[in-house]
Amino acid sequence: TPWCTQNVLIAAFARPLAATLRQRIVKRAANSLDAFWAEYGEDGACPEGAYYYGHAALSLFSSMQVINAVSGGAVQPVLHSAKFQNIAEYILYAHVGNNTYANFGDCAASMAAPDARVYALAAAIDSPQLKAYSGRAAFGLGSDPVQFNLYGHLQALFLERDKTSLEPSEKREGYLPSTGLFVARDNRFYLAANAGHNGVDHNHNDLGSVIVYLDGQPLLIDIGVETYTAKTFSAERYGIWTMQSSFHNVAEFGGVMQSVGIDFSVREQRVHFDHNEARIDMQLAGAYPEQAQVRSYRRSVCLQRGRRVIISDRFESSSPVVANFIFAQQPVLDGATLRVGRLADIQLSGHAHIAIESLAVEDARLRQSWPETLYRVRISPAADTLELQIEGIVA
């Protein structure tokens, strides 16, 4: 990974090594960076999500800084390529607000403020939007020591004198096809959906799942990942509850969940953005194995700007359907309405039975993002359609 490569390069040029050895190290490092670069689409979306932005985009930039410094700018043209610009600015799509992010896969919903490397990257590619996003950057010696090495701390000290007052960052929306990330916003809602495939690194079998924030508060959520153990990266990975589609905002069929692998994917994606609405339509049947008996599972997710978010599902299956939705706050059923505290009302149509369960959050890593209890709403549709209309409560 670029994170390892940057550390090797820094070590190689911080020690009195022979020039021939340093040349070999740079060549090997460049080959490694080429392999990493090839995994990215032209849209720059990070396959591992926003949590890995530091290990990915920022570490790639640090590696390129070292190579440029010792080679007279050999990779400088790459810094100004469209693909690198997109890799750098990907974080603007995933950023919800403050320290919260869309967190599909092994990604945390809450992270530390951006560090000084983001400011340096923004300056290097002349990105006003990324520079504004880095306005909350932790300069000096106050950054996360796990993510930020001595090289980064030294950069921060030198950058402190250049830091100026910055305007709030631009909030990006759009569709990134290389990973299937869909993002839409208005002045109250942040909406994200996963329309990719289940063969990505750090996958969670969560195709079609949605994340909804309202006024900066989590409403429909992705739980994320527990503290890493050997099981996380073993054949038992999908025995972990947070990896399973039934603990994401999608349906199960006869108790059968989505399957892992690149062949299990969203199909027939269609996206639309205009002044009035942003919308994605997906065919999710391909995310499920044959035993689920899913002939069709079409989901439409729409942000009607300034009004509401609508999630509409249409099912064709021989198996009984249960649609799951994960909440950060306790929802209370009132007739055909789910009331979520003083945040939102969700109007339901097409439902036959609704069960609300509590999910205990005991893992230390999850507790960095969530309270001690989350909630799962399980909805059995009356027929072949189900719709949720999410409206914010006006204070």
Side-chain angles (χ1 to χ4, degrees), residues 276-290:
N276 296 314
E277 70 175 32
R279 181 189 190 99
I280 182 168
D281 300 305
M282 302 170 277
Q283 172 57 267
L284 302 179
Y288 295 82
E290 289 185 7

Side-chain angles (χ1 to χ4, degrees), residues 52-101:
Y52 286 83
Y53 181 75
H55 286 331
L58 296 182
S59 295
L60 174 62
F61 173 59
S62 293
S63 299
M64 293 167 66
Q65 280 183 303
V66 176
I67 293 174
N68 273 333
V70 301
S71 66
V75 294
Q76 186 67 20
V78 180
L79 285 175
H80 300 289
S81 67
K83 182 173 178 177
F84 186 78
Q85 183 105 11
N86 290 338
I87 290 172
E89 294 181 342
Y90 157 78
I91 198 70
L92 301 177
Y93 294 91
H95 185 220
V96 177
N98 296 321
N99 292 338
T100 57
Y101 295 81

Side-chain angles (χ1 to χ4, degrees), residues 223-352:
I223 298 170
V225 66
E226 294 179 323
T227 302
Y228 282 160
T229 66
K231 184 177 180 180
T232 311
F233 299 102
S234 73
E236 300 178 84
R237 176 179 176 88
Y238 294 94
I240 301 172
W241 67 288
T242 60
M243 311 294 187
Q244 300 171 353
S245 61
S246 288
F247 291 92
H248 291 81
N249 300 312
V250 290
E252 61 189 65
F253 297 84
V256 178
M257 299 180 288
Q258 294 183 12
S259 288
V260 63
I262 194 170
D263 292 334
F264 296 94
S265 63
V266 174
R267 298 166 187 171
E268 303 173 25
Q269 306 98 313
R270 295 190 301 275
V271 298
H272 173 77
F273 292 87
D274 65 26
H275 178 74
N276 296 314
E277 70 175 32
R279 181 189 190 99
I280 182 168
D281 300 305
M282 302 170 277
Q283 172 57 267
L284 302 179
Y288 295 82
E290 289 185 7
Q291 57 265 40
Q293 299 180 314
V294 185
R295 294 185 296 276
S296 178
Y297 174 12
R298 293 191 176 276
R299 165 163 283 185
S300 173
V301 184
C302 180
L303 170 61
Q304 295 181 344
R305 302 188 194 275
R307 300 176 63 191
R308 62 177 69 90
V309 168
I310 301 175
I311 302 171
S312 301
D313 290 341
R314 180 176 293 275
F315 313 100
E316 294 180 24
S317 174
S318 303
S319 301
V321 180
V322 175
N324 299 290
F325 296 95
I326 312 297
F327 288 83
Q329 298 185 37
Q330 183 173 12
V332 176
L333 185 62
D334 182 5
T337 302
L338 280 173
R339 301 193 183 280
V340 187
R342 297 181 178 179
L343 185 62
D345 284 344
I346 303 177
Q347 306 298 326
L348 305 173
S349 60
H351 59 287

Side-chain angles (χ1 to χ4, degrees), residues 86-215:
N86 290 338
I87 290 172
E89 294 181 342
Y90 157 78
I91 198 70
L92 301 177
Y93 294 91
H95 185 220
V96 177
N98 296 321
N99 292 338
T100 57
Y101 295 81
N103 64 311
F104 298 113
D106 280 2
C107 185
S110 297
M111 300 189 298
D115 61 52
R117 294 174 298 170
V118 184
Y119 184 87
L121 172 55
I125 65 172
D126 192 24
S127 170
Q129 294 83 13
L130 192 61
K131 185 176 287 189
Y133 163 77
S134 73
R136 298 174 297 114
F139 283 60
L141 299 177
S143 304
D144 182 353
V146 175
Q147 300 291 340
F148 211 38
N149 56 24
L150 180 59
Y151 176 73
H153 285 304
L154 290 172
Q155 277 190 311
L157 290 172
F158 284 106
L159 286 168
E160 178 65 36
R161 64 190 178 192
D162 297 326
K163 188 179 179 184
T164 57
S165 178
L166 299 169
E167 297 297 324
S169 62
E170 173 187 307
K171 305 294 188 181
R172 290 284 178 89
E173 70 170 14
Y175 178 65
L176 304 179
S178 69
T179 61
L181 177 65
F182 169 88
V183 172
R185 309 173 188 260
D186 64 13
N187 62 347
R188 298 195 69 186
F189 282 104
Y190 175 92
L191 169 65
N194 179 12
H197 62 77
N198 278 335
V200 297
D201 292 338
H202 303 275
N203 175 66
H204 272 213
N205 286 351
D206 56 354
L207 298 182
S209 191
V210 296
I211 294 170
V212 179
Y213 278 72
L214 176 58
D215 296 334

